[in-house]
Amino acid sequence: MGSTNSTLSKIPNVEELMEETGFTPAHIVRLYDRFEALDKEKTGHLRPQDFGAINRLAMNPIGDRIIGAFFSPGQETVDFHSFVRILAHFRPADKKHPKDPSMPEPVNSRTSKLKFAFQLYDQDKDGKISRAELLQVLRSMLEMQVTEEQLESIADRTIQEADLDNDDAISFEEFRKVPLGRARRLTYQHGPLQHSAPRILSQPHRK
Amino acid sequence: MACRTCLWLLGTTFFTCTVRLVVEGTEVGATQGSQPEPGVVGSNHSQAGGGHGSSISGIQIVTFKWHHVEAPYLIALWILVAGVSKMVVELNHSLTSVIPESALLILIGWILGGIIYGADKMQTFTLTPTVFFFYLLPQVILDAGYFMPNKLFFSNMGAILVYAVIGTCWNAATVGLGLWGCWLGGAMGDIDIGLLQFLLFGSLIAAVDPVAVIAVFEEVHVNEVLFIMVFGESLLNDGVTVVLFNVFDAFVSLGGAEIDAVEIIKGIISFFVVAFGGSLVGIIFALLISLLTRCTKNIQIIEPGFIFILGYLSYLTAEMLSLSAILSIVFCGICCQKYINANMDERSVTTVRYVMKVFANGSETIIFVFLGISAIDPAVWVWNTGFILLTLLFIFVFRFIGVFLLTWILNKYRLVPLEFIDQVVMSYGGLRGAVAYGLVAMLDENKFKEKNLMVSTTLIVVYFTVMLQGITMKPLVTWLKVKRAAVTELTLAEKIQNRTFDHMLVAIEDISGQIGHNYMRDKWHNFEERWLCWFLMKPSARKSRDYIFNIFHQLNLKDAMSYVKEGERRGSLAFVRNETKADVDFNKKFRASFSEIMPDIMADNMGPDHVPLSSILQDIVPSVCLVMHEQDLTMRESEDFNAHHLLQQHLYRGRKQHRHRYSRSHLETNRDENEVQEIFQRTMRSRLESFKSAKMGVAPAKKIQTKHQKKDKPQKMPNGNSSDKSKNHPYGDKGTCSLLFTSLLHYMKWLTITTSPSSPIKGPPTSCGMHNNTVPLKGD
């Protein structure tokens, strides 16, 4: 565990980070290794092109959007803390902790996850998914052979189904109401980091 | 239509039998006549077939030369009959989705066997071990090896070996000992058999059969890991089977008294020799094939022939050296895949793939039909209720116990544990097939007094597993899965969201990275790139990868520059006009490399050390996905039919839903590859777009340093239109350009096999400076 501690000491404010996100030290170290691996020029920040280097993301229809979600508006870089914070959305929900209404919403609660997903759709950050934004998402997730008219009809019907207050856009509340079989799956269910971190640490670190 | 083919089928069989009868009749008549002189055998044959006497009465205008063509004619006729049977079987698709093809073929075999027996009063055609092992089995196994998903196979190699070696030994031992115990207890009555013979029988009946396994798993879609486990096991257990069979055969010959520790140790050593020796032979032949294809630049038409001949030779060589022939041909196929696909001309590759499927299909069909025919032979039938029933019981029960036990042990070491339903499918899918029958038919009757009993039992076991287990596999799995989410009608919004979340999860996984690097894998990769590719691949195949990189990079750079310059020269309207021209058609350029790389990438990181995090999410990837299968087949009726249907058909499926399908009968271009390719192209294109629009906003008087020669390549039109004209790149302008170029760079690195540190990767590091917008631009 010596290497864990030494790595942890390299990270500023690491206790605060762990407190806020709920990751264990092993997780943090694991993520830090990943962060460093991505940050090829060792600047301590990640830029869009570092994400772009992940080839598999280019094979993801909404890959670029997700990259964008890491960057707050106006920001050009992501530091380690923001990186971890965003990934923390996908930690398994803590069932053990009782729900304390006075505390702020934990970062990996269902609502936070949905909010993150919502941001993917809502590019202009106005709190609503307009028809145009929905069209864009659909366009990126459907094959090329789907025509514009078909696309528009799908978008129209979708808004029709989900839009409850008839403003021709989907707000976050309406978004939440769409019953999601998979929202609960937006987690690493067994905390793969929980599995992997000890394994990584138990193996001699090879480069 | 069905009637016609049935009639034709029956007709051919009748024809075969009657021809034989006629021939036999004439033969008898003819041999009473002339004695063929040694020198004139040929003409006498024709005479004997034609006339009824020895005297030549005159010139025969037409003679019936049956004996002349008997052997090849019968062979060809049987292949035809097998082919027609397959057609008959495939007539009704709903039937084949309930009953697997193999079962139906066996049924047809029974019918044909009955006809022949009725005509001949004896079974003239049976599946002889020689024909089976030398002419029918090799193609099937070569097909399995050649199309094997290598990455998946090698990542799960540990588990596969455990099941193949330990599992088969366990099965053999338990079945043999169990039967022996029951025989001692008197359950089988009075048969002339001993412990060693029981063990031998156990070893040949224990092995899971690759032919049967594929046949059944065609209909039941399982996830990749499960599939490769069962499939890999069925292929690799031959090593064990051969050894056990030979060892026990030798022991039976020696007699019980001669067995001592030395012999047993020799037996264990022979296992290692046989297994590794067989694999080594296969690998040597794979190297040979790769080298040969490397040199066939001038005469590409003969390339496909080499694969088949050398594959077959590897099989025979291993057989000759009494090593495991199946292992040899499997490894030959596995190891040579990559290199021959790189070296050979595209058309040769297609030919090899297609012909391999043709042969494999044909062999499989013939095997199953003959398995059916061989049963209709009263001469081999010995019924012993105890023996047969106990065998069935034991192989079934002990398979389950073995699999569950081994999985329990394995799960302690695996990151992705195999679930209950996986284990059930694996146990239930342990089908026995023709290999067992072939082995039992090879037994010596003098040593094995009860050979016929064993043959009958083996046949019954094969029928039971193939037919009953094959038919009930799907319903069993459905029943097991019925507790999982039922397929309810989702709204459009739900569907879209579900898919979005799938993609999102995959992306987050990719960002958060894999679980550590596999040291051995990286070493192997480096070794392979440096030495093997240099040795085994055509220089042009290697070079074309570098070439592509260069061309691509230059092209895009050139596009981008010319685009910008146009715009600057002519004003902003030019952008609208020239937009499509500046896109690069990835498809045409990279099709070859894509098809090799894509499966690698997609099946990448599947092993215990390289597990994509999603597979740890136990809910998301169902082991057995009948749901998807049905979704493929059925259409949904609902009032917004069109919208749902469109979504169903056209939503990108997302990586974790890509199933690797090994199929004996279908050679489909992998839809997943196309999809991934399309997504990749669109991403690149949209990044290029954003780059262009970013460039728009930048002041003129820029110069871009170009360090490569300009080559003139025709620009291809893109397929599909990018209607995504949004300037909505989520991250800033500067980010976009650099993102584009570095992503292109990394993509190219990923595609090429740069072996030396001084790789031809110039340009991009400097062009990264573009995002500072201060790099000087030289004229074109």
Side-chain angles (χ1 to χ4, degrees):
Chain A
M1 295 304 268
S3 64
T4 323
N5 286 337
S6 65
T7 323
L8 279 178
S9 56
K10 278 193 255 172
I11 310 168
N13 297 331
V14 70
E15 280 83 23
E16 190 191 305
L17 193 61
M18 288 196 289
E19 180 69 38
E20 188 189 328
T21 58
F23 280 126
T24 66
H27 294 181
I28 300 276
V29 169
R30 168 81 183 76
L31 287 173
Y32 190 71
D33 286 340
R34 177 62 175 171
F35 186 83
E36 289 204 309
L38 287 175
D39 178 18
K40 301 223 167 50
E41 298 174 22
K42 304 286 176 251
T43 56
H45 295 271
L46 288 181
R47 288 155 303 158
Q49 58 263 37
D50 294 321
F51 283 98
I54 306 172
N55 290 313
R56 279 172 205 79
L57 274 184
M59 295 197 279
N60 195 314
I62 53 174
D64 286 353
R65 280 173 185 262
I66 294 184
I67 296 178
F70 274 82
F71 295 86
S72 318
Q75 260 196 335
E76 293 285 323
T77 60
V78 178
D79 66 350
F80 182 61
H81 286 248
S82 325
F83 184 68
V84 172
R85 272 192 210 106
I86 296 192
L87 287 180
H89 285 297
F90 298 93
R91 225 170 41 75
D94 297 322
K95 299 186 190 80
K96 301 170 236 164
H97 297 225
K99 261 207 152 63
D100 189 351
S102 60
M103 281 179 51
E105 191 78 32
V107 81
N108 61 340
S109 70
R110 183 166 181 261
T111 318
S112 314
K113 288 173 176 131
L114 285 174
K115 240 193 150 71
F116 183 80
F118 189 78
Q119 280 167 6
L120 288 183
Y121 289 85
D122 182 19
Q123 291 287 328
D124 58 2
K125 312 262 185 287
D126 62 353
K128 286 183 186 301
I129 305 176
S130 66
R131 187 167 173 278
E133 287 168 338
L134 186 61
L135 266 178
Q136 276 175 26
V137 176
L138 277 178
R139 176 79 265 177
S140 64
M141 296 212 311
L142 285 168
E143 293 172 0
M144 300 293 280
Q145 56 205 88
V146 179
T147 64
E148 282 298 316
E149 304 83 54
Q150 289 172 324
L151 202 61
E152 292 187 7
S153 79
I154 297 178
D156 286 332
R157 292 213 93 98
T158 310
I159 294 190
Q160 216 175 43
E161 282 174 356
D163 190 14
L164 302 169
D165 57 5
N166 291 328
D167 59 352
D168 206 27
I170 303 178
S171 70
F172 184 58
E173 284 308 314
E174 290 158 358
F175 189 77
R176 281 173 74 154
K177 293 233 173 44
V178 176
L180 295 170
R182 307 219 178 175
R184 70 178 167 80
R185 294 178 190 178
L186 274 182
T187 66
Y188 296 143
Q189 269 192 345
H190 286 264
L193 303 179
Q194 289 161 9
H195 272 305
S196 67
R199 289 183 86 84
I200 288 294
L201 295 175
S202 65
Q203 291 167 8
H205 199 62
R206 298 190 223 253
K207 267 295 177 207
Chain B
M1 177 61 195
C3 309
R4 240 182 254 165
T5 37
C6 280
L7 281 175
W8 192 21
L9 189 59
L10 294 175
T12 5
T13 343
F14 269 121
F15 178 68
T16 322
C17 309
T18 44
V19 155
R20 281 200 63 105
L21 284 176
V22 164
V23 160
E24 255 129 50
T26 52
E27 230 178 69
V28 168
T31 48
Q32 281 170 358
S34 68
Q35 291 297 320
E37 293 158 22
V40 225
V41 173
S43 55
N44 271 353
H45 258 192
S46 53
Q47 299 239 334
H52 277 281
S54 57
S55 53
I56 305 169
S57 48
I59 297 180
Q60 311 260 352
I61 297 180
V62 175
T63 49
F64 187 66
K65 300 187 190 176
W66 172 246
H67 279 293
H68 207 50
V69 298
E70 176 177 2
Y73 204 97
L74 281 175
I75 293 174
L77 209 52
W78 271 115
I79 297 179
L80 178 65
V81 166
V84 173
S85 328
K86 182 112 182 180
M87 262 173 56
V88 168
V89 160
E90 291 286 352
L91 277 175
N92 195 342
H93 190 73
S94 59
L95 188 63
T96 46
S97 61
V98 174
I99 307 180
E101 268 175 31
S102 38
L104 290 170
L105 285 171
I106 293 183
L107 272 172
I108 292 192
W110 285 345
I111 299 174
L112 290 178
I115 297 175
I116 295 177
Y117 184 73
D120 271 358
K121 290 293 173 273
M122 61 171 249
Q123 191 54 264
T124 35
F125 303 105
T126 52
L127 186 64
T128 53
T130 325
V131 166
F132 174 68
F133 280 116
F134 286 156
Y135 301 116
L136 292 176
L137 191 61
Q139 295 92 291
V140 175
I141 308 294
L142 184 61
D143 172 72
Y146 185 75
F147 286 99
M148 175 76 77
N150 274 356
K151 280 256 159 60
L152 200 56
F153 181 67
F154 283 110
S155 339
N156 287 301
M157 184 62 114
I160 294 178
L161 278 176
V162 165
Y163 286 116
V165 176
I166 303 181
T168 314
C169 288
W170 159 268
N171 280 334
T174 50
V175 170
L177 290 173
L179 285 174
W180 178 62
C182 293
W183 173 68
L184 284 180
M188 296 176 201
D190 198 14
I191 46 179
D192 181 8
I193 203 167
L195 169 63
L196 287 170
Q197 301 194 6
F198 274 121
L199 284 174
L200 179 67
F201 182 68
S203 67
L204 62 87
I205 204 91
V208 176
D209 187 77
V211 181
V213 157
I214 294 295
V216 167
F217 276 75
E218 288 252 3
E219 283 298 319
V220 180
H221 292 205
V222 297
N223 72 2
E224 295 167 308
V225 176
L226 181 57
F227 171 77
I228 202 72
M229 294 283 190
V230 185
F231 189 45
E233 181 199 343
S234 67
L235 287 174
L236 295 187
N237 65 19
D238 179 65
V240 180
T241 311
V242 162
V243 171
L244 286 177
F245 187 82
N246 288 332
V247 160
F248 285 124
D249 201 25
F251 281 176
V252 168
S253 311
L254 286 176
E258 304 279 338
I259 301 170
D260 53 2
V262 179
E263 299 294 328
I264 295 183
I265 291 178
K266 277 208 262 180
I268 296 179
I269 294 180
S270 76
F271 162 69
F272 286 103
V273 169
V274 162
F276 287 109
S279 320
L280 196 64
V281 169
I283 294 176
I284 293 175
F285 273 89
L287 286 176
L288 271 176
I289 298 181
S290 317
L291 280 175
L292 268 176
T293 48
R294 189 186 165 182
C295 310
T296 53
K297 196 171 52 149
N298 298 322
I299 179 68
Q300 288 182 328
I301 199 75
I302 59 173
E303 282 174 333
F306 282 136
I307 320 299
F308 293 101
I309 289 298
L310 280 171
Y312 192 46
L313 275 178
S314 77
Y315 185 86
L316 293 177
T317 311
E319 189 69 37
M320 173 179 77
L321 299 171
S322 75
L323 303 171
S324 168
I326 291 186
L327 278 183
S328 162
I329 202 172
V330 163
F331 276 96
C332 181
I334 285 179
C335 298
C336 74
Q337 277 179 20
K338 178 174 170 189
Y339 306 108
I340 61 181
N341 285 340
N343 283 343
M344 293 201 296
D345 181 44
E346 256 178 61
R347 291 166 298 177
S348 298
V349 173
T350 315
T351 310
V352 168
R353 298 177 69 196
Y354 208 80
V355 172
M356 215 165 302
K357 288 290 178 200
V358 170
F359 282 164
N361 250 304
S363 287
E364 188 192 320
T365 316
I366 298 179
I367 290 175
F368 280 118
V369 169
F370 269 88
L371 267 181
I373 294 180
S374 310
I376 315 295
D377 188 2
V380 304
W381 279 99
V382 177
W383 184 267
N384 182 327
T385 322
F387 192 87
I388 293 174
L389 288 178
L390 281 169
T391 311
L392 280 175
L393 178 70
F394 285 151
I395 58 167
F396 195 69
V397 166
F398 284 125
R399 169 101 183 140
F400 267 86
I401 296 178
V403 167
F404 276 81
L405 205 63
L406 286 174
T407 316
W408 177 71
I409 297 176
L410 272 176
N411 276 347
K412 295 195 197 232
Y413 299 100
R414 280 181 67 86
L415 262 180
V416 184
L418 289 167
E419 299 184 37
F420 177 71
I421 190 176
D422 291 343
Q423 298 171 39
V424 168
V425 172
M426 255 175 48
S427 325
Y428 203 69
L431 307 178
R432 274 63 170 181
V435 174
Y437 177 74
L439 284 173
V440 85
M442 272 186 358
L443 292 176
D444 185 355
E445 270 145 353
N446 301 320
K447 284 191 290 182
F448 294 87
K449 300 284 185 283
E450 298 291 338
K451 176 183 171 183
N452 284 334
L453 173 61
M454 292 192 196
V455 169
S456 327
T457 315
T458 311
L459 278 174
I460 293 188
V461 164
V462 170
Y463 295 148
F464 183 83
T465 55
V466 170
M467 298 177 90
L468 251 105
Q469 280 179 234
I471 295 175
T472 54
M473 173 81 89
K474 216 166 163 185
L476 171 76
V477 165
T478 323
W479 175 70
L480 277 173
K481 276 181 56 67
V482 83
K483 298 167 213 132
R484 294 190 176 236
V487 179
T488 51
E489 186 66 36
L490 300 170
T491 62
L492 283 174
E494 283 169 329
K495 285 188 192 169
I496 297 175
Q497 268 183 2
N498 282 347
R499 196 52 61 85
T500 314
F501 291 139
D502 285 343
H503 289 306
M504 195 157 82
L505 205 41
V506 169
I508 292 292
E509 235 174 69
D510 290 334
I511 292 178
S512 64
Q514 308 303 325
I515 306 177
H517 280 292
N518 192 333
Y519 180 65
M520 284 309 300
R521 194 118 169 262
D522 287 345
K523 289 281 281 190
W524 163 256
H525 213 60
N526 290 337
F527 168 71
E528 198 206 350
E529 280 185 14
R530 275 196 76 143
W531 298 105
L532 287 183
C533 290
W534 169 82
F535 185 49
L536 295 175
M537 275 204 211
K538 256 190 229 188
S540 55
R542 268 181 287 134
K543 226 187 287 168
S544 67
R545 295 177 154 194
D546 296 353
Y547 187 65
I548 288 174
F549 158 66
N550 277 325
I551 291 299
F552 177 73
H553 185 71
Q554 289 164 35
L555 259 178
N556 255 328
L557 211 45
K558 190 176 174 202
D559 286 343
M561 289 187 294
S562 62
Y563 188 73
V564 166
K565 291 190 64 191
E566 277 286 339
E568 288 166 8
R569 214 157 35 100
R570 299 203 211 159
S572 54
L573 289 177
F575 280 96
V576 177
R577 214 154 43 98
N578 285 338
E579 205 164 64
T580 50
K581 188 162 172 280
D583 283 317
V584 179
D585 186 358
F586 291 72
N587 204 4
K588 191 70 164 38
K589 287 197 177 14
F590 306 117
R591 191 174 38 218
S593 10
F594 252 116
S595 54
E596 289 151 44
I597 301 290
M598 284 304 173
D600 281 3
I601 295 297
M602 277 171 11
D604 208 355
N605 305 319
M606 284 300 269
D609 281 342
H610 259 227
V611 163
L613 304 174
S614 69
S615 41
I616 300 182
L617 307 167
Q618 307 210 332
D619 258 21
I620 296 204
V621 182
S623 338
V624 187
C625 189
L626 293 174
V627 170
M628 257 192 61
H629 187 51
E630 277 151 35
Q631 279 178 357
D632 287 341
L633 293 180
T634 61
M635 308 257 275
R636 292 180 173 255
E637 302 291 320
S638 68
E639 58 170 355
D640 30 5
F641 170 76
N642 273 326
H644 279 282
H645 184 51
L646 279 173
L647 277 188
Q648 193 89 333
Q649 296 293 99
H650 296 296
L651 269 178
Y652 285 132
R653 289 195 296 169
R655 201 175 68 218
K656 55 175 160 306
Q657 293 188 22
H658 291 159
R659 304 249 185 273
H660 188 100
R661 284 202 58 197
Y662 170 83
S663 165
R664 183 61 52 66
S665 22
H666 298 295
L667 190 68
E668 28 184 81
T669 45
N670 197 349
R671 183 197 166 195
D672 304 336
E673 276 177 34
N674 293 339
E675 179 179 301
V676 166
Q677 211 168 323
E678 192 175 290
I679 298 177
F680 190 86
Q681 288 176 35
R682 292 177 70 178
T683 316
M684 285 300 168
R685 206 174 287 140
S686 74
R687 288 183 186 173
L688 188 62
E689 300 270 333
S690 343
F691 161 66
K692 287 176 209 158
S693 45
K695 277 317 243 175
M696 260 240 66
V698 179
K702 250 156 314 325
K703 297 180 218 156
I704 301 175
Q705 186 88 7
T706 57
K707 287 188 181 175
H708 338 273
Q709 313 148 351
K710 313 281 182 302
K711 292 191 191 156
D712 216 31
K713 283 283 159 195
Q715 313 228 355
K716 312 272 195 307
M717 299 301 285
N719 42 350
N721 52 337
S722 50
S723 53
D724 198 359
K725 296 207 190 337
S726 64
K727 304 258 193 261
N728 211 356
H729 35 277
Y731 27 84
D733 297 349
K734 300 178 185 175
T736 314
C737 345
S738 38
L739 175 58
L740 169 68
F741 279 98
T742 44
S743 57
L744 292 180
L745 162 67
H746 288 289
Y747 168 63
M748 294 322 298
K749 268 194 192 154
W750 167 49
L751 258 199
T752 57
I753 41 167
T754 45
T755 57
S756 55
S758 58
S759 54
I761 305 174
K762 318 172 193 95
T766 58
S767 69
C768 272
M770 276 173 75
H771 73 265
N772 289 326
N773 300 323
T774 52
V775 187
L777 170 81
K778 288 219 174 84
D780 272 9

